[in-house]
Amino acid sequence: GAGVSQSPSNKVTEKGKDVELRCDPISGHTALYWYRQSLGQGLEFLIYFQGNSAPDKSGLPSDRFSAERTGGSVSTLTIQRTQQEDSAVYLCASSLGRLETQYFGPGTRLLVL
Amino acid sequence: GDSVTQMEGPVTLSEEAFLTINCTYTATGYPSLFWYVQYPGEGLQLLLKATKADDKGSNKGFEATYRKETTSFHLEKGSVQVSDSAVYFCALYRDSGGSNYKLTFGKGTLLTVNP
């Protein structure tokens, strides 16, 4: 069956621009996660959704980052006023429920010039 | 807080050599433990997992045993292939009863297998 998909696969933007990253989870998966993978920080957790709700947004690195999920399916991670330190691979994962195995998408590679 | 420490590498082996990548963890309670693999240019794939002490996870010739007494989950393979070249991540997941459910990852180990 279809796995987790993410778009775009690559994004190059200029410092100060806004970007939107999209994640389509596996059908039927109620839990969705965003992580960031960067050279200096390894794999960092950003946010978790159960259904359309994100109970705790404290993992987001700054108030320039926001995320939403609609219809219990697609999620969008938005970064406003991008900075060079936002350059990283943004990974999305989904699972059947909050205690189930997480399956990852291929990631979006973001480069901020 | 929870943490995972793994051998950072890089590790370079010849084909058919024995592989061990060490992983230890710090967490209260009873976490589930995972190995994920990231092949060049691809996303993370679940390799194997173990959900309780003394469980052995296995897949594609790789094995890891959940050792609570040593808080370890070392990855092993008896005979590596060139196609095993990838970055390997050890991770844990714990139901802390809070509102975030996240994997905590080690920093990853780059494995290169030469023919």
Side-chain angles (χ1 to χ4, degrees), chain B residues 77-111:
Chain B
K77 186 174 186 183
S79 176
V80 293
Q81 305 300 311
V82 172
S83 57
D84 295 326
S85 298
V87 181
Y88 292 81
F89 293 91
C90 185
L92 73 82
Y93 183 79
R94 185 172 64 87
D95 184 2
S96 62
S99 53
N100 262 334
Y101 299 92
K102 61 175 184 176
L103 284 163
T104 299
F105 286 91
K107 292 192 178 297
T109 302
L110 173 63
L111 170 66

mmCIF file of all heavy atoms in Angstrom, chain B residues 77-111:
data_model
loop_
_atom_site.group_PDB
_atom_site.id
_atom_site.type_symbol
_atom_site.label_atom_id
_atom_site.label_comp_id
_atom_site.label_asym_id
_atom_site.label_seq_id
_atom_site.Cartn_x
_atom_site.Cartn_y
_atom_site.Cartn_z
ATOM 1 N N LYS B 77 24.871 -8.086 12.858
ATOM 2 C CA LYS B 77 24.617 -8.878 11.651
ATOM 3 C C LYS B 77 25.852 -9.728 11.406
ATOM 4 O O LYS B 77 26.979 -9.237 11.482
ATOM 5 C CB LYS B 77 24.329 -7.996 10.434
ATOM 6 C CG LYS B 77 23.912 -8.823 9.212
ATOM 7 C CD LYS B 77 23.490 -7.973 8.035
ATOM 8 C CE LYS B 77 22.959 -8.866 6.917
ATOM 9 N NZ LYS B 77 22.578 -8.121 5.694
ATOM 10 N N GLY B 78 25.611 -10.979 11.107
ATOM 11 C CA GLY B 78 26.727 -11.912 10.996
ATOM 12 C C GLY B 78 27.593 -11.723 9.763
ATOM 13 O O GLY B 78 28.798 -11.971 9.800
ATOM 14 N N SER B 79 27.000 -11.255 8.670
ATOM 15 C CA SER B 79 27.737 -11.148 7.416
ATOM 16 C C SER B 79 27.133 -10.001 6.598
ATOM 17 O O SER B 79 26.068 -10.151 6.011
ATOM 18 C CB SER B 79 27.633 -12.463 6.643
ATOM 19 O OG SER B 79 28.261 -12.364 5.379
ATOM 20 N N VAL B 80 27.826 -8.865 6.600
ATOM 21 C CA VAL B 80 27.251 -7.686 5.936
ATOM 22 C C VAL B 80 27.488 -7.748 4.427
ATOM 23 O O VAL B 80 28.433 -8.395 3.943
ATOM 24 C CB VAL B 80 27.833 -6.378 6.515
ATOM 25 C CG1 VAL B 80 27.386 -6.190 7.958
ATOM 26 C CG2 VAL B 80 29.354 -6.341 6.388
ATOM 27 N N GLN B 81 26.629 -7.036 3.710
ATOM 28 C CA GLN B 81 26.718 -6.923 2.260
ATOM 29 C C GLN B 81 26.894 -5.459 1.877
ATOM 30 O O GLN B 81 26.568 -4.556 2.665
ATOM 31 C CB GLN B 81 25.445 -7.480 1.610
ATOM 32 C CG GLN B 81 25.107 -8.895 2.018
ATOM 33 C CD GLN B 81 26.222 -9.869 1.658
ATOM 34 O OE1 GLN B 81 26.713 -9.880 0.529
ATOM 35 N NE2 GLN B 81 26.629 -10.695 2.616
ATOM 36 N N VAL B 82 27.375 -5.248 0.664
ATOM 37 C CA VAL B 82 27.539 -3.869 0.183
ATOM 38 C C VAL B 82 26.222 -3.104 0.281
ATOM 39 O O VAL B 82 26.197 -1.917 0.631
ATOM 40 C CB VAL B 82 28.080 -3.868 -1.257
ATOM 41 C CG1 VAL B 82 28.077 -2.455 -1.827
ATOM 42 C CG2 VAL B 82 29.484 -4.467 -1.310
ATOM 43 N N SER B 83 25.123 -3.797 0.029
ATOM 44 C CA SER B 83 23.802 -3.156 0.050
ATOM 45 C C SER B 83 23.361 -2.736 1.455
ATOM 46 O O SER B 83 22.351 -2.042 1.608
ATOM 47 C CB SER B 83 22.752 -4.096 -0.540
ATOM 48 O OG SER B 83 22.735 -5.322 0.169
ATOM 49 N N ASP B 84 24.091 -3.131 2.478
ATOM 50 C CA ASP B 84 23.780 -2.701 3.854
ATOM 51 C C ASP B 84 24.353 -1.327 4.165
ATOM 52 O O ASP B 84 24.106 -0.784 5.257
ATOM 53 C CB ASP B 84 24.319 -3.714 4.876
ATOM 54 C CG ASP B 84 23.640 -5.061 4.786
ATOM 55 O OD1 ASP B 84 22.429 -5.089 4.478
ATOM 56 O OD2 ASP B 84 24.309 -6.082 5.036
ATOM 57 N N SER B 85 25.118 -0.772 3.274
ATOM 58 C CA SER B 85 25.695 0.558 3.481
ATOM 59 C C SER B 85 24.581 1.573 3.654
ATOM 60 O O SER B 85 23.729 1.737 2.773
ATOM 61 C CB SER B 85 26.595 0.944 2.298
ATOM 62 O OG SER B 85 27.670 0.053 2.176
ATOM 63 N N ALA B 86 24.580 2.249 4.787
ATOM 64 C CA ALA B 86 23.483 3.157 5.147
ATOM 65 C C ALA B 86 23.823 3.813 6.479
ATOM 66 O O ALA B 86 24.857 3.522 7.086
ATOM 67 C CB ALA B 86 22.164 2.386 5.276
ATOM 68 N N VAL B 87 22.927 4.684 6.930
ATOM 69 C CA VAL B 87 23.026 5.232 8.281
ATOM 70 C C VAL B 87 21.997 4.518 9.159
ATOM 71 O O VAL B 87 20.835 4.390 8.776
ATOM 72 C CB VAL B 87 22.777 6.751 8.313
ATOM 73 C CG1 VAL B 87 22.908 7.282 9.744
ATOM 74 C CG2 VAL B 87 23.757 7.471 7.384
ATOM 75 N N TYR B 88 22.428 4.060 10.318
ATOM 76 C CA TYR B 88 21.576 3.314 11.235
ATOM 77 C C TYR B 88 21.311 4.157 12.480
ATOM 78 O O TYR B 88 22.233 4.696 13.089
ATOM 79 C CB TYR B 88 22.243 1.986 11.605
ATOM 80 C CG TYR B 88 22.324 1.051 10.429
ATOM 81 C CD1 TYR B 88 23.343 1.185 9.478
ATOM 82 C CD2 TYR B 88 21.370 0.054 10.233
ATOM 83 C CE1 TYR B 88 23.390 0.349 8.366
ATOM 84 C CE2 TYR B 88 21.416 -0.782 9.136
ATOM 85 C CZ TYR B 88 22.427 -0.624 8.207
ATOM 86 O OH TYR B 88 22.479 -1.457 7.100
ATOM 87 N N PHE B 89 20.030 4.251 12.844
ATOM 88 C CA PHE B 89 19.608 5.040 13.997
ATOM 89 C C PHE B 89 18.946 4.141 15.031
ATOM 90 O O PHE B 89 18.016 3.403 14.722
ATOM 91 C CB PHE B 89 18.590 6.109 13.589
ATOM 92 C CG PHE B 89 19.137 7.198 12.710
ATOM 93 C CD1 PHE B 89 19.094 7.087 11.336
ATOM 94 C CD2 PHE B 89 19.681 8.345 13.282
ATOM 95 C CE1 PHE B 89 19.594 8.100 10.530
ATOM 96 C CE2 PHE B 89 20.177 9.365 12.478
ATOM 97 C CZ PHE B 89 20.141 9.236 11.101
ATOM 98 N N CYS B 90 19.421 4.238 16.248
ATOM 99 C CA CYS B 90 18.764 3.601 17.386
ATOM 100 C C CYS B 90 17.773 4.601 17.978
ATOM 101 O O CYS B 90 18.057 5.813 18.007
ATOM 102 C CB CYS B 90 19.824 3.214 18.409
ATOM 103 S SG CYS B 90 19.216 2.280 19.830
ATOM 104 N N ALA B 91 16.620 4.126 18.420
ATOM 105 C CA ALA B 91 15.606 5.052 18.928
ATOM 106 C C ALA B 91 14.796 4.381 20.024
ATOM 107 O O ALA B 91 14.691 3.152 20.087
ATOM 108 C CB ALA B 91 14.679 5.516 17.802
ATOM 109 N N LEU B 92 14.222 5.201 20.883
ATOM 110 C CA LEU B 92 13.316 4.672 21.898
ATOM 111 C C LEU B 92 12.014 5.453 21.897
ATOM 112 O O LEU B 92 11.955 6.618 21.471
ATOM 113 C CB LEU B 92 13.959 4.676 23.285
ATOM 114 C CG LEU B 92 14.164 5.983 24.055
ATOM 115 C CD1 LEU B 92 12.886 6.438 24.786
ATOM 116 C CD2 LEU B 92 15.253 5.786 25.101
ATOM 117 N N TYR B 93 10.976 4.809 22.395
ATOM 118 C CA TYR B 93 9.651 5.397 22.471
ATOM 119 C C TYR B 93 9.071 4.997 23.815
ATOM 120 O O TYR B 93 9.025 3.818 24.149
ATOM 121 C CB TYR B 93 8.795 4.839 21.335
ATOM 122 C CG TYR B 93 7.417 5.420 21.237
ATOM 123 C CD1 TYR B 93 7.220 6.659 20.653
ATOM 124 C CD2 TYR B 93 6.319 4.728 21.719
ATOM 125 C CE1 TYR B 93 5.950 7.191 20.550
ATOM 126 C CE2 TYR B 93 5.053 5.264 21.618
ATOM 127 C CZ TYR B 93 4.872 6.489 21.030
ATOM 128 O OH TYR B 93 3.618 7.026 20.926
ATOM 129 N N ARG B 94 8.638 6.003 24.567
ATOM 130 C CA ARG B 94 8.126 5.714 25.904
ATOM 131 C C ARG B 94 6.818 6.448 26.111
ATOM 132 O O ARG B 94 6.710 7.638 25.803
ATOM 133 C CB ARG B 94 9.158 6.159 26.947
ATOM 134 C CG ARG B 94 8.799 5.810 28.370
ATOM 135 C CD ARG B 94 9.983 6.120 29.291
ATOM 136 N NE ARG B 94 10.304 7.544 29.322
ATOM 137 C CZ ARG B 94 9.735 8.423 30.150
ATOM 138 N NH1 ARG B 94 8.791 8.022 30.990
ATOM 139 N NH2 ARG B 94 10.094 9.681 30.138
ATOM 140 N N ASP B 95 5.863 5.752 26.642
ATOM 141 C CA ASP B 95 4.588 6.363 26.989
ATOM 142 C C ASP B 95 4.763 7.030 28.341
ATOM 143 O O ASP B 95 4.696 6.373 29.383
ATOM 144 C CB ASP B 95 3.485 5.308 27.040
ATOM 145 C CG ASP B 95 2.124 5.925 27.302
ATOM 146 O OD1 ASP B 95 2.022 7.164 27.400
ATOM 147 O OD2 ASP B 95 1.158 5.145 27.403
ATOM 148 N N SER B 96 5.004 8.333 28.304
ATOM 149 C CA SER B 96 5.300 9.054 29.538
ATOM 150 C C SER B 96 4.035 9.534 30.230
ATOM 151 O O SER B 96 4.107 10.138 31.291
ATOM 152 C CB SER B 96 6.202 10.250 29.229
ATOM 153 O OG SER B 96 5.519 11.136 28.349
ATOM 154 N N GLY B 97 2.888 9.292 29.566
ATOM 155 C CA GLY B 97 1.644 9.753 30.160
ATOM 156 C C GLY B 97 1.396 11.222 29.918
ATOM 157 O O GLY B 97 0.415 11.784 30.376
ATOM 158 N N GLY B 98 2.293 11.864 29.186
ATOM 159 C CA GLY B 98 2.120 13.273 28.860
ATOM 160 C C GLY B 98 1.345 13.435 27.577
ATOM 161 O O GLY B 98 0.585 12.563 27.183
ATOM 162 N N SER B 99 1.566 14.540 26.903
ATOM 163 C CA SER B 99 0.778 14.822 25.710
ATOM 164 C C SER B 99 1.598 14.757 24.432
ATOM 165 O O SER B 99 1.098 15.054 23.374
ATOM 166 C CB SER B 99 0.125 16.194 25.843
ATOM 167 O OG SER B 99 1.104 17.162 26.160
ATOM 168 N N ASN B 100 2.863 14.411 24.527
ATOM 169 C CA ASN B 100 3.658 14.235 23.322
ATOM 170 C C ASN B 100 4.130 12.803 23.241
ATOM 171 O O ASN B 100 4.572 12.232 24.228
ATOM 172 C CB ASN B 100 4.859 15.185 23.306
ATOM 173 C CG ASN B 100 4.565 16.429 22.480
ATOM 174 O OD1 ASN B 100 3.742 16.402 21.574
ATOM 175 N ND2 ASN B 100 5.232 17.502 22.798
ATOM 176 N N TYR B 101 4.064 12.256 22.057
ATOM 177 C CA TYR B 101 4.485 10.889 21.844
ATOM 178 C C TYR B 101 5.520 10.918 20.744
ATOM 179 O O TYR B 101 5.192 11.057 19.574
ATOM 180 C CB TYR B 101 3.280 10.022 21.489
ATOM 181 C CG TYR B 101 2.284 10.034 22.615
ATOM 182 C CD1 TYR B 101 1.251 10.954 22.635
ATOM 183 C CD2 TYR B 101 2.425 9.174 23.688
ATOM 184 C CE1 TYR B 101 0.371 10.986 23.702
ATOM 185 C CE2 TYR B 101 1.540 9.203 24.747
ATOM 186 C CZ TYR B 101 0.525 10.118 24.749
ATOM 187 O OH TYR B 101 -0.340 10.147 25.797
ATOM 188 N N LYS B 102 6.773 10.797 21.114
ATOM 189 C CA LYS B 102 7.823 11.011 20.143
ATOM 190 C C LYS B 102 8.876 9.934 20.270
ATOM 191 O O LYS B 102 9.082 9.336 21.316
ATOM 192 C CB LYS B 102 8.491 12.372 20.375
ATOM 193 C CG LYS B 102 9.138 12.481 21.744
ATOM 194 C CD LYS B 102 9.880 13.781 21.909
ATOM 195 C CE LYS B 102 10.595 13.814 23.257
ATOM 196 N NZ LYS B 102 11.415 15.020 23.428
ATOM 197 N N LEU B 103 9.566 9.710 19.163
ATOM 198 C CA LEU B 103 10.761 8.887 19.176
ATOM 199 C C LEU B 103 11.950 9.756 19.587
ATOM 200 O O LEU B 103 12.093 10.875 19.116
ATOM 201 C CB LEU B 103 11.019 8.305 17.784
ATOM 202 C CG LEU B 103 10.120 7.137 17.355
ATOM 203 C CD1 LEU B 103 10.191 6.931 15.858
ATOM 204 C CD2 LEU B 103 10.507 5.879 18.105
ATOM 205 N N THR B 104 12.788 9.199 20.447
ATOM 206 C CA THR B 104 14.053 9.834 20.792
ATOM 207 C C THR B 104 15.144 9.045 20.077
ATOM 208 O O THR B 104 15.264 7.834 20.278
ATOM 209 C CB THR B 104 14.293 9.818 22.310
ATOM 210 O OG1 THR B 104 13.236 10.549 22.954
ATOM 211 C CG2 THR B 104 15.625 10.473 22.647
ATOM 212 N N PHE B 105 15.922 9.744 19.256
ATOM 213 C CA PHE B 105 16.901 9.082 18.396
ATOM 214 C C PHE B 105 18.325 9.273 18.889
ATOM 215 O O PHE B 105 18.665 10.304 19.484
ATOM 216 C CB PHE B 105 16.842 9.673 16.979
ATOM 217 C CG PHE B 105 15.650 9.258 16.169
ATOM 218 C CD1 PHE B 105 14.492 10.020 16.189
ATOM 219 C CD2 PHE B 105 15.691 8.115 15.390
ATOM 220 C CE1 PHE B 105 13.388 9.648 15.433
ATOM 221 C CE2 PHE B 105 14.594 7.732 14.635
ATOM 222 C CZ PHE B 105 13.443 8.501 14.662
ATOM 223 N N GLY B 106 19.167 8.285 18.595
ATOM 224 C CA GLY B 106 20.601 8.495 18.678
ATOM 225 C C GLY B 106 21.062 9.302 17.471
ATOM 226 O O GLY B 106 20.263 9.621 16.582
ATOM 227 N N LYS B 107 22.329 9.630 17.422
ATOM 228 C CA LYS B 107 22.847 10.518 16.378
ATOM 229 C C LYS B 107 23.099 9.812 15.056
ATOM 230 O O LYS B 107 23.412 10.474 14.062
ATOM 231 C CB LYS B 107 24.119 11.215 16.859
ATOM 232 C CG LYS B 107 23.835 12.205 17.981
ATOM 233 C CD LYS B 107 25.020 13.095 18.253
ATOM 234 C CE LYS B 107 24.718 14.108 19.347
ATOM 235 N NZ LYS B 107 23.647 15.034 18.968
ATOM 236 N N GLY B 108 22.990 8.501 15.040
ATOM 237 C CA GLY B 108 23.165 7.767 13.794
ATOM 238 C C GLY B 108 24.588 7.263 13.606
ATOM 239 O O GLY B 108 25.548 7.892 14.061
ATOM 240 N N THR B 109 24.712 6.117 12.948
ATOM 241 C CA THR B 109 26.011 5.518 12.644
ATOM 242 C C THR B 109 26.064 5.223 11.160
ATOM 243 O O THR B 109 25.220 4.482 10.643
ATOM 244 C CB THR B 109 26.212 4.210 13.438
ATOM 245 O OG1 THR B 109 26.114 4.469 14.827
ATOM 246 C CG2 THR B 109 27.563 3.593 13.117
ATOM 247 N N LEU B 110 27.044 5.819 10.492
ATOM 248 C CA LEU B 110 27.230 5.574 9.062
ATOM 249 C C LEU B 110 28.027 4.295 8.875
ATOM 250 O O LEU B 110 29.140 4.168 9.396
ATOM 251 C CB LEU B 110 27.955 6.748 8.411
ATOM 252 C CG LEU B 110 28.371 6.560 6.953
ATOM 253 C CD1 LEU B 110 27.156 6.376 6.056
ATOM 254 C CD2 LEU B 110 29.229 7.727 6.475
ATOM 255 N N LEU B 111 27.433 3.361 8.155
ATOM 256 C CA LEU B 111 28.100 2.095 7.829
ATOM 257 C C LEU B 111 28.420 2.073 6.346
ATOM 258 O O LEU B 111 27.534 2.289 5.514
ATOM 259 C CB LEU B 111 27.200 0.905 8.172
ATOM 260 C CG LEU B 111 27.677 -0.461 7.666
ATOM 261 C CD1 LEU B 111 28.963 -0.881 8.362
ATOM 262 C CD2 LEU B 111 26.597 -1.528 7.856
#
